[in-house]
């Protein structure tokens, strides 16, 4: 039930403060000021806010949405501007100045917003989305926020798309941050999606089949609540890794989208991930365990909660699921979980005669951005129409089944072979994981020389047989508990190479593993 003060009709109009011109007539004689109820600055600001905005709640945060304006939800407690649209504090300040010709007290602004925050306890719970949102009426349709102050957005439906302003209550409410860049107005290319995306193809350093996989990654970036692989650009120096990453990010997030340094901690990464739709990390030399876990959670969905500043028991939380891009020459050994979510793009050296200047490249990119986005939307609409058929057509699905279904639908529309390309790249990543891990390498050597197809043993017995002679390598698990965890982590990769590892139920004496060899399995020829 709404609080009575949240009704627009229940609020009296604020008394208008007299202007200097109203205090004296044309003959210079004093005139009595208009009489009316005397309201404080805080009361006037509160009435201005409740007259012009609807209060909603999402994820324990209160937002104000214009009653007669674009569907942009502004958090009540925020002070800074968002993507050029302004915070509620800034807009109330502006409305008061225009109404009275005077500047309000900042303390009164704080009091008015605090009162609105209290009234928002009875506000309706509504989803508030960043950049991408599902359609409330059609589960096959999605929305793209163009980041404009007028709220214009793109509705992507099966077989078509349109630019419109979502109706409040029927379309999504948009959340904006300083990382929400404005996208150009999408344009339909006369050559269809091939013509629009062909403009990006001309500017890109990607060669086939990586180019097609990059298009698939962009399509996945238009789907809400979808696990996506981590796009990883690697290659020697001077192969345009950073530029290629920026090109993909800016298609979805505007020309201000950037690749950034690796965050110092998971908390820093969570804040950055929750503030922008895409995340790009540049020049990675190695991936420690915490960063590997953070990247896995970022692409599959995660939430972080921590104590809010200046409170004893209140918490602040961030929920995020983002398209991620990495660049680096060599990230080193990969954890198996991250390896299964990696989409590698290997870039070749650029002919010096074909190299473009940064100024010329981005000038051409800006000029073509609207048609590039239009081409991606044309293709997305066609792919969305085939997505419902994908689940029944796939006999086997990789770990990220939604991603596999999108690849199938993309291949059905274009005639490409992105699904088989992705499967093949996963085979190569599996080889890299096994080659980089001493336990996996030792198990593959043992399987080649073992005279039996089954081995049941405790973790200690496995350690005794597999551990290399001499001093224990730094990368070898130091305890049987760590070895047990390593075997469990490696099990999916080793299973693809014909080594099936199963942890046995604990008995009163011990607990071990059953390792079964499958001679017919192995990497493709």
């Amino acid at each position: 039930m709404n609080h009575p003060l949240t009704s627009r009709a229940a609020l009296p109009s604020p008394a208008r403060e007299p202007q200097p011109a109203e205090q004296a007539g044309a003959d210079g004689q004093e005139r009595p000021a208009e009489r009316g109820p005397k309201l404080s600055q805080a009361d006037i600001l509160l009435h201005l806010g409740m007259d012009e905005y609807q209060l909603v709640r999402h994820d324990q945060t209160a937002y104000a949405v214009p009653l007669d304006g674009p569907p942009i939800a502004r958090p009540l407690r925020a002070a800074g501007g968002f993507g050029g649209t302004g915070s509620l504090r800034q807009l109330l300040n502006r409305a008061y100045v225009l109404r009275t010709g005077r500047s309000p007290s900042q303390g009164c602004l704080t009091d008015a917003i605090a009162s609105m925050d209290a009234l928002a306890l009875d506000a309706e719970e509504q989803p508030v989305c960043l950049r991408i949102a599902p359609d409330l009426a059609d589960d096959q349709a999605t929305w793209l926020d163009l980041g404009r102050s007028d709220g214009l957005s793109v509705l992507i439906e099966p077989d078509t798309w349109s630019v419109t302003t979502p109706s409040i209550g029927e379309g999504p409410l948009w959340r904006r941050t300083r990382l929400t860049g404005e996208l150009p107005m999408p344009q339909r290319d006369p050559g269809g999606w091939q013509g629009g995306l062909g403009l990006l193809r001309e500017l890109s350093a990607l060669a086939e089949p990586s180019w097609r996989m990059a298009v698939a990654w962009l399509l996945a970036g238009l789907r809400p609540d979808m696990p996506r692989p981590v796009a990883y650009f690697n290659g020697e120096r001077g192969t345009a890794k950073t530029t290629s990453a920026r090109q993909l990010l800016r298609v979805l997030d505007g020309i201000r989208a950037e690749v950034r340094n690796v965050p110092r901690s998971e908390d820093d990464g969570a804040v950055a991930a929750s503030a922008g739709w895409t995340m790009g990390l540049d020049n990675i030399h190695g991936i420690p365990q915490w960063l590997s876990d953070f990247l896995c959670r970022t692409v599959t969905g995660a939430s972080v909660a921590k104590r809010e500043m200046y409170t004893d028991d209140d918490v602040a939380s961030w929920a995020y699921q983002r398209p991620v891009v990495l660049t680096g020459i060599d990230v080193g050994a990969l954890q198996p979980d991250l390896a299964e979510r990696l989409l590698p793009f290997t870039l070749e050296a650029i002919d010096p005669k074909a190299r473009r200047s940064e100024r010329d490249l981005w000038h051409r990119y800006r000029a073509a951005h609207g048609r590039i986005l239009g081409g991606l939307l044309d293709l997305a609409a066609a792919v969305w129409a085939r997505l419902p058929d994908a689940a029944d057509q796939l006999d086997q699905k990789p770990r990220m089944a939604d991603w596999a279904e999108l690849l199938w639908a993309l291949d059905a529309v274009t005639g490409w072979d992105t699904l088989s390309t992705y499967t093949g790249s996963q085979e190569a990543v599996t080889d890299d994981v096994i080659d980089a891990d001493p336990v996996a390498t030792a198990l593959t050597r043992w399987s080649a020389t073992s005279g039996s197809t089954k081995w049941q043993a405790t973790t200690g017995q496995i350690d005794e047989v597999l551990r290399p002679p001499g001093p224990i390598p730094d990368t070898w698990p130091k305890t049987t508990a760590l070895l047990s965890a390593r075997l469990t982590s490696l099990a999916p990769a080793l299973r693809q190479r014909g080594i099936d590892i199963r942890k046995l139920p604990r008995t009163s004496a011990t607990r071990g593993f059953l390792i079964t060899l499958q001679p017919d399995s192995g990497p493709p020829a």
Side-chain angles (χ1 to χ4, degrees):
M1 178 183 298
N2 289 334
H3 192 281
L5 282 183
T6 61
S7 170
R8 192 176 184 180
L11 292 171
S13 298
R16 184 161 168 259
E17 293 190 1
Q19 302 299 310
E22 296 175 316
Q23 296 179 14
D27 56 359
Q29 298 296 319
E30 296 291 329
R31 299 285 187 268
E34 266 186 40
R35 296 186 179 275
K38 181 66 174 177
L39 296 178
S40 67
Q41 283 189 359
D43 292 335
I44 295 173
L45 289 163
L46 172 61
H47 286 296
L48 284 173
M50 297 305 297
D51 272 350
E52 297 180 8
Y53 295 93
Q54 171 190 354
L55 300 179
V56 300
R57 295 186 66 82
H58 173 68
D59 197 20
Q60 302 182 11
T61 300
Y63 294 87
V65 182
L67 287 167
D68 301 310
I72 300 173
R74 297 169 173 87
L76 267 61
R77 296 186 182 183
F82 304 96
T85 59
S87 67
L88 177 65
R89 188 181 187 93
Q90 291 172 321
L91 294 177
L92 285 182
N93 196 335
R94 178 178 180 274
Y96 186 90
V97 171
L98 293 176
R99 175 72 67 91
T100 68
R102 301 179 183 179
S103 297
S105 160
Q106 295 304 301
C108 291
L109 265 173
T110 300
D111 291 344
I113 292 175
S115 297
M116 294 179 69
D117 198 14
L119 293 174
L121 290 172
D122 299 318
E124 181 182 357
E125 184 78 16
Q126 294 187 34
V128 177
C129 303
L130 179 70
R131 186 65 81 181
I132 301 293
D135 186 65
L136 301 180
D138 184 357
D139 59 2
Q140 297 301 321
T142 60
W143 287 85
L144 168 68
D145 179 19
L146 294 177
R148 295 163 54 100
S149 59
D150 57 12
L152 277 177
S153 307
V154 180
L155 174 60
I156 313 171
E157 301 174 273
D159 288 325
T160 188
W161 60 270
S162 57
V163 178
T164 183
T165 301
S167 300
I168 295 178
E170 298 179 4
L173 298 177
W174 295 122
R175 175 170 69 91
R176 300 279 177 81
T177 75
R178 286 189 174 91
L179 299 183
T180 307
E182 182 175 332
L183 289 170
M185 190 66 67
Q187 304 171 31
R188 286 184 167 87
D189 192 278
W193 66 263
Q194 296 94 333
L197 289 176
L199 298 174
L200 180 61
R201 179 73 182 87
E202 294 173 3
L203 300 173
S204 174
L206 289 170
E208 299 290 359
S210 293
W211 160 249
R212 297 179 178 183
M213 299 306 302
V215 172
W217 185 87
L218 287 172
L219 288 173
L222 295 176
R223 301 289 298 180
D225 303 322
M226 175 182 170
R228 314 164 187 86
V230 177
Y232 167 45
F233 291 89
N234 67 94
E236 63 183 60
R237 290 181 179 85
T239 53
K241 298 182 294 296
T242 300
T243 299
S244 298
R246 285 175 179 151
Q247 287 178 341
L248 291 195
L249 294 172
R250 291 177 178 182
V251 171
L252 299 175
D253 242 356
I255 201 66
R256 292 190 302 174
E258 268 297 346
V259 288
R260 296 176 172 83
N261 294 333
V262 177
R264 295 182 178 180
S265 67
E266 184 166 349
D267 284 349
D268 291 342
V271 171
S274 64
W277 176 242
T278 59
M279 171 175 276
L281 302 182
D282 195 26
N283 200 24
I284 292 183
H285 296 290
I287 301 182
Q289 181 68 53
W290 74 265
L291 181 57
S292 178
D293 294 341
F294 167 71
L295 292 173
C296 290
R297 287 193 289 268
T298 299
V299 296
T300 55
S303 178
V304 173
K306 59 182 299 185
R307 184 173 65 85
E308 193 167 15
M309 293 181 64
Y310 313 117
T311 65
D312 292 328
D313 58 359
D314 203 1
V315 297
S317 64
W318 302 278
Y320 51 90
Q321 185 181 43
R322 301 289 181 255
V324 176
V325 174
L326 308 178
T327 75
I329 295 176
D330 184 7
V331 296
L334 293 171
Q335 298 297 324
D337 278 355
L338 180 58
E340 290 185 349
R341 295 171 172 86
L342 205 65
L343 182 64
F345 298 130
T346 301
L347 297 171
E348 303 297 333
I350 300 175
D351 187 339
K353 296 180 181 179
R355 193 177 295 276
R356 301 185 181 98
S357 68
E358 287 275 324
R359 182 175 179 275
D360 175 65
L361 177 69
W362 291 114
H363 175 76
R364 295 176 60 187
Y365 187 96
R366 288 186 182 92
H369 196 172
R371 291 164 65 191
I372 291 171
L373 181 58
L376 181 65
L377 295 173
D378 284 339
L379 182 57
V383 171
W384 281 203
R386 296 304 307 269
L387 268 176
D389 304 326
D392 294 333
Q393 296 295 325
L394 291 176
D395 296 330
Q396 296 182 351
K397 300 175 185 177
R399 186 167 184 171
M400 289 186 290
D402 302 82
W403 167 249
E405 291 177 2
L406 184 139
L407 294 181
W408 180 91
L410 175 61
D411 292 344
V413 171
T414 62
W416 294 350
D417 56 354
T418 58
L419 184 56
S420 61
T421 300
Y422 175 69
T423 304
S425 70
Q426 286 296 290
E427 293 284 354
V429 170
T430 297
D431 289 340
D432 292 340
V433 169
I434 292 175
D435 292 342
D437 190 280
V439 176
T441 303
L443 259 176
T444 55
R445 282 200 304 263
W446 171 85
S447 66
T449 58
S450 175
S452 62
T453 59
K454 288 188 177 182
W455 180 24
Q456 181 173 332
T458 65
T459 310
Q461 292 168 337
I462 295 173
D463 182 57
E464 183 179 347
V465 171
L466 296 184
R467 184 190 297 181
I472 301 177
D474 292 338
T475 54
W476 190 268
K478 298 300 187 294
T479 66
T480 55
L482 292 175
L483 177 58
S484 176
R486 182 76 64 85
L487 289 170
T488 302
S489 175
L490 290 169
L494 289 168
R495 194 171 297 122
Q496 296 183 48
R497 297 297 173 261
I499 305 174
D500 185 74
I501 301 177
R502 307 281 177 175
K503 183 177 285 189
L504 298 174
R506 182 179 296 278
T507 65
S508 57
T510 185
R511 181 177 185 176
F513 287 85
L514 176 62
I515 300 176
T516 305
L517 305 183
Q518 301 168 349
D520 294 338
S521 300

